Amino acid sequence: MQDELDGKAEVLLDPNTLSKDGTVALSTYSISEDGNYIAYGLSESGSDWVSIHVMNVTNKQPMPDKLSWVKFSSISWTHDGKGFFYSRYPAPREGGELDAGTETNINLNHQIYYHVLGTNQSEDVLCWKDPEHSKYSFGASVTEDGKYIILTVYEGCDPVNKLYYCEISSLPQGIEGFRERQEMLPFVKLIDNFDAQYQVVANDGDEFTFLTNKSAPRNKLVRVNIKNPELWTDVLPEHEKDVLESADAVNNNQLLVCYMSDVKHILQLRDLRTGNLIHQLPLEIGSVSEISCRREDKEVFIGFTSFLSPGIIYRCNLSPAIPEMKMFREISVPGFDRTSFQVKQVFVPSKDGTKIPMFLMSKKDINLDGSHPTLLYGYGGFNISLTPSFSVGRLVLCKNMGFVVCVANIRGGGEYGEEWHKAGALAMKQNCFDDFAACAEFLISTGYTSSSRLCIEGGSNGGLLIAASINQRPDLFGCALAHVGVMDMLRFHKFTIGHAWTTDYGCSDKEEEFQWLIKYSPLHNVRRPWEQSSGSQCQYPATMLLTADHDDRVVPLHSLKLLATLQHVLCTEDSPQTNPIIGRIDRKSGHGAGRPTQKLVCATVSLNIALASSLQVQSFMWFPAFNFRLTKLQTDIALWLRC
């Protein structure tokens, strides 16, 4: 923290000091309105479980407050600084020690609490629960003017929610008075169905501006007086092509609006009242990673990244007629020369003719002779967009091993709005695998690579993508890396938060949806390709399944069961399968967030070894960008993979 932008910075909270091995991570934080306190969430071993702690900012001393069994939660302070709202589940089980993150119990009965600073968690005020809908999840936030509590209700991962509100001043004894009354807060139900998404952008008293996809799959801005909810008006209509990703109220009566156009971000300054365009802010081709601002601010800070830009923070002054946008901070990577690389975007026709965007990064002026080892990455689910981002690991592949690194924006993501998402979900999920295969075939047919030198990679829902792809097209790839994948599509909803994914996948408990899932579920579609390819020696590509012992998002049993099935079906005595099928199980790690640098480096090196070995890349035993040599264990892995 620092007193002014040009002042001397001092450390407020250093997550590196929280554990010797770096496996305790800072997952979220929130500073009180007066700046006197910071509440922060800590995650151990990569688990989704979080414990919330509080520190006095003035003297940097920890407060006695500790809140447990918090999951999928924000922290939102009331403006009087007395306390904050958060979300939690009941403790997984009573009695005994529990290694949080290793359990597989289904997560049910999410609840909203208000914690009063300096009190025990047992005294927290229960603000909302819904035992009749035990799979719902909730979030609570205080509006920027401090007047309202906004409660959002979700039934899964779809971009739809209910929205309720409570006026804080209408509570005669305040929020704390509900502790004695043992009643929930009197929320008013503004939106009480799951037909669309509603996100608060700003409010002037009772008049609220929302970002919504109601009758607008690419999103729009609407306005309503919550005390007179019959009349809704459009402020900024849906764009004919681009997706409205976010809108932030700034400079009192202006909006900083971020659009996604063909998977690249555009920033605009607009009038809050009318939605009219004031100015388009200059931005390179890439991604807006973060916008930091408040309604009253005349200055905003904009985070930017791209495939060739490690990270820039722009400082934008909105006072002049033409906003002034200057570089405030820039990440520098020693020895990295961005002019040595090139990034292209292509549009690949899928099986049904749909054009699929794909980014390609490589050294400049490569020959398209089919010789280049290539990494193809994809996700394709849950309305999540893969926008340009910087990766040291990928640049190492390009610089030192001659790789072409590709990111495919297949259907199921949010790159073109909700219609693009739905085109790769539920009964349409096969489109994701068809899109990915089309991108792979494009890379081969245009001379970037060959099937034996093509590696595919994805994580979580992307791990499902990789596993389904090698089941359906084992001939198309030379190597496959599936991180923390959803592999058992018939039982995923029975573990931890898996039930929330049925909005994207469907549920095997329903006969029609069972028929969708059984057709592509990785665990249930492992086959012997040599028995179905006219006697040829087609086999599965070299495959590594990666999981972690504290992954309580996609529990390890998914990868472990698939690994066992692959080994059982493919690796028999008389099998022509010679490509390795192996697993990598990280300890004291979870679904991927919050991993310490040591684990990130180790994982990157292991993956680079696997890639180089499987794709027969020469001279891969030295990585100048990391400036260290491989350990004996890593060398042994490389030799094992080469066998």
Side-chain angles (χ1 to χ4, degrees):
M1 62 181 182
Q2 53 200 84
D3 292 331
E4 53 188 5
L5 289 175
D6 298 322
K8 183 180 178 181
E10 57 180 297
V11 174
L12 175 62
L13 175 66
D14 184 359
N16 295 289
T17 63
L18 298 175
S19 61
K20 290 183 179 180
D21 60 1
T23 57
V24 174
L26 180 68
S27 64
T28 185
Y29 67 91
S30 178
I31 298 172
S32 62
E33 186 71 11
D34 57 15
N36 289 332
Y37 299 97
I38 178 173
Y40 57 96
L42 300 182
S43 166
E44 296 186 20
S45 302
S47 169
D48 281 335
W49 290 115
V50 168
S51 60
I52 295 179
H53 305 257
V54 181
M55 177 190 289
N56 185 311
V57 172
T58 304
N59 58 23
K60 301 182 185 177
Q61 292 301 306
M63 304 284 288
D65 307 66
K66 181 182 178 182
L67 313 181
S68 301
W69 304 116
V70 179
K71 191 181 260 196
F72 311 129
S73 175
S74 59
I75 300 171
S76 187
W77 290 83
T78 47
H79 282 209
D80 57 12
K82 289 183 177 180
F84 51 83
F85 296 95
Y86 70 99
S87 312
R88 62 161 292 184
Y89 286 101
R93 65 166 179 249
E94 296 294 332
E97 290 296 320
L98 176 65
D99 188 2
T102 60
E103 78 290 341
T104 60
N105 302 4
I106 190 170
N107 295 144
L108 299 173
N109 296 307
H110 211 219
Q111 299 166 346
I112 296 290
Y113 281 88
Y114 181 75
H115 175 72
V116 178
L117 203 60
T119 64
N120 191 279
Q121 186 176 14
S122 62
E123 301 176 55
D124 288 354
V125 179
L126 175 61
C127 301
W128 190 260
K129 65 177 180 178
D130 189 352
E132 292 185 6
H133 300 94
S134 60
K135 293 182 179 179
Y136 283 4
S137 59
F138 309 105
S141 61
V142 178
T143 54
E144 195 166 357
D145 63 0
K147 185 177 180 181
Y148 288 99
I149 308 159
I150 302 297
L151 174 69
T152 47
V153 184
Y154 305 93
E155 65 171 347
C157 294
D158 262 358
V160 297
N161 61 275
K162 298 181 180 183
L163 191 142
Y164 308 158
Y165 68 87
C166 178
E167 192 169 0
I168 296 176
S169 61
S170 70
L171 309 176
Q173 296 177 291
I175 300 169
E176 296 174 70
F178 284 81
R179 182 189 298 126
E180 287 73 27
R181 294 166 60 177
Q182 295 187 336
E183 295 178 13
M184 296 188 295
L185 299 191
F187 282 99
V188 178
K189 298 179 178 181
L190 179 65
I191 305 293
D192 199 26
N193 52 59
F194 291 113
D195 67 338
Q197 172 181 254
Y198 296 87
Q199 296 177 357
V200 175
V201 173
N203 73 295
D204 291 291
D206 299 337
E207 191 174 62
F208 275 70
T209 302
F210 292 101
L211 186 150
T212 183
N213 56 12
K214 174 73 171 178
S215 303
R218 289 178 296 281
N219 300 333
K220 64 180 179 179
L221 297 183
V222 296
R223 185 167 293 136
V224 67
N225 187 309
I226 59 174
K227 300 294 178 66
N228 182 27
E230 292 78 21
L231 181 62
W232 292 72
T233 57
D234 285 359
V235 178
L236 182 57
E238 178 187 29
H239 193 277
E240 61 184 12
K241 177 177 175 290
D242 298 340
V243 180
L244 176 59
E245 282 221 327
S246 67
D248 294 277
V250 296
N251 199 16
N252 296 314
N253 58 0
Q254 294 178 338
L255 284 171
L256 188 58
V257 170
C258 181
Y259 279 101
M260 181 161 53
S261 178
D262 283 332
V263 208
K264 301 173 286 287
H265 282 151
I266 295 171
L267 274 181
Q268 297 176 345
L269 191 66
R270 290 182 173 266
D271 185 272
L272 175 60
R273 299 304 308 170
T274 65
N276 292 338
L277 179 65
I278 299 173
H279 195 78
Q280 183 142 324
L281 300 180
L283 202 65
E284 294 181 47
I285 294 175
S287 306
V288 174
S289 56
E290 186 176 4
I291 296 174
S292 178
C293 61
R294 292 174 297 187
R295 174 93 182 249
E296 68 269 22
D297 289 341
K298 297 184 183 297
E299 280 193 324
V300 300
F301 294 86
I302 300 161
F304 174 84
T305 186
S306 69
F307 290 110
L308 300 179
S309 176
I312 298 172
I313 300 174
Y314 290 104
R315 179 181 179 182
C316 185
N317 183 1
L318 302 175
S319 298
I322 299 177
E324 297 174 351
M325 195 161 165
K326 298 180 179 179
M327 191 180 296
F328 179 64
R329 295 278 193 273
E330 182 177 17
I331 296 173
S332 176
V333 178
F336 169 60
D337 177 13
R338 62 179 297 170
T339 63
S340 301
F341 303 91
Q342 63 184 12
V343 176
K344 297 179 180 179
Q345 187 182 34
V346 297
F347 294 84
V348 180
S350 188
K351 184 177 182 179
D352 62 0
T354 302
K355 295 294 181 68
I356 309 302
M358 179 167 62
F359 290 103
L360 297 88
M361 179 176 66
S362 66
K363 287 182 179 178
K364 275 191 173 177
D365 304 320
I366 60 172
N367 294 321
L368 299 184
D369 56 5
S371 66
H372 306 288
T374 298
L375 177 65
L376 174 60
Y377 185 89
Y379 186 80
F382 297 94
N383 198 41
I384 293 172
S385 305
L386 296 183
T387 58
S389 62
F390 190 82
S391 167
V392 170
R394 291 174 180 175
L395 281 165
V396 166
L397 294 175
C398 292
K399 180 180 179 181
N400 297 334
M401 302 186 198
F403 265 72
V404 178
V405 174
C406 312
V407 177
N409 299 108
I410 62 178
R411 283 173 285 186
E415 286 85 351
Y416 292 99
E418 187 58 7
E419 291 173 345
W420 192 257
H421 168 216
K422 289 302 184 187
L426 301 173
M428 308 298 288
K429 188 65 178 176
Q430 182 59 39
N431 283 337
C432 301
F433 315 131
D434 292 342
D435 294 352
F436 201 59
C439 289
E441 289 172 332
F442 171 87
L443 293 169
I444 295 168
S445 65
T446 52
Y448 281 95
T449 190
S450 61
S451 60
S452 64
R453 299 177 77 76
L454 175 59
C455 177
I456 53 174
E457 182 181 23
S460 195
N461 173 75
L464 157 65
L465 169 69
I466 300 309
S469 293
I470 62 173
N471 278 342
Q472 294 182 12
R473 292 295 307 275
D475 59 301
L476 197 53
F477 316 108
C479 179
L481 304 171
H483 302 251
V484 292
V486 186
M487 307 306 194
D488 183 350
M489 300 309 297
L490 302 186
R491 288 175 56 81
F492 68 85
H493 58 291
K494 297 180 181 294
F495 310 108
T496 61
I497 197 59
H499 60 80
W501 314 333
T502 57
T503 52
D504 229 64
Y505 297 142
C507 180
S508 63
D509 293 342
K510 301 176 181 178
E511 184 176 355
E512 180 187 11
E513 297 174 10
F514 174 90
Q515 296 303 327
W516 307 341
L517 295 164
I518 193 64
K519 289 177 182 177
Y520 69 82
S521 175
L523 184 64
H524 303 92
N525 285 278
V526 176
R527 59 195 179 96
R528 297 183 175 187
W530 53 86
E531 294 179 354
Q532 305 172 31
S533 55
S534 304
S536 71
Q537 292 298 296
C538 178
Q539 58 174 303
Y540 271 64
T543 300
M544 180 184 282
L545 306 182
L546 301 98
T547 186
D549 62 355
H550 284 74
D551 187 351
D552 50 357
R553 185 89 56 87
V554 180
V555 293
L557 62 85
H558 281 278
S559 294
L560 299 179
K561 287 200 292 185
L562 179 59
L563 181 63
T565 302
L566 286 166
Q567 294 276 2
H568 175 71
V569 173
L570 302 177
C571 302
T572 57
E573 240 179 74
D574 58 346
S575 168
Q577 178 74 30
T578 56
N579 293 329
I581 308 286
I582 64 173
R584 183 180 192 274
I585 305 168
D586 204 0
R587 291 187 296 175
K588 298 191 74 176
S589 291
H591 199 59
R595 284 195 296 176
T597 303
Q598 182 181 6
K599 283 185 176 291
L600 288 172
V601 171
C602 184
T604 301
V605 171
S606 297
L607 291 178
N608 285 354
I609 292 171
L611 282 169
S613 303
S614 301
L615 304 185
Q616 293 89 49
V617 179
Q618 301 301 315
S619 304
F620 67 88
M621 296 303 289
W622 173 241
F623 296 82
F626 289 132
N627 197 30
F628 65 85
R629 292 188 180 276
L630 304 178
T631 65
K632 181 180 185 301
L633 173 60
Q634 291 157 349
T635 306
D636 288 345
I637 294 172
L639 293 173
W640 181 20
L641 283 167
R642 274 184 165 175
C643 294

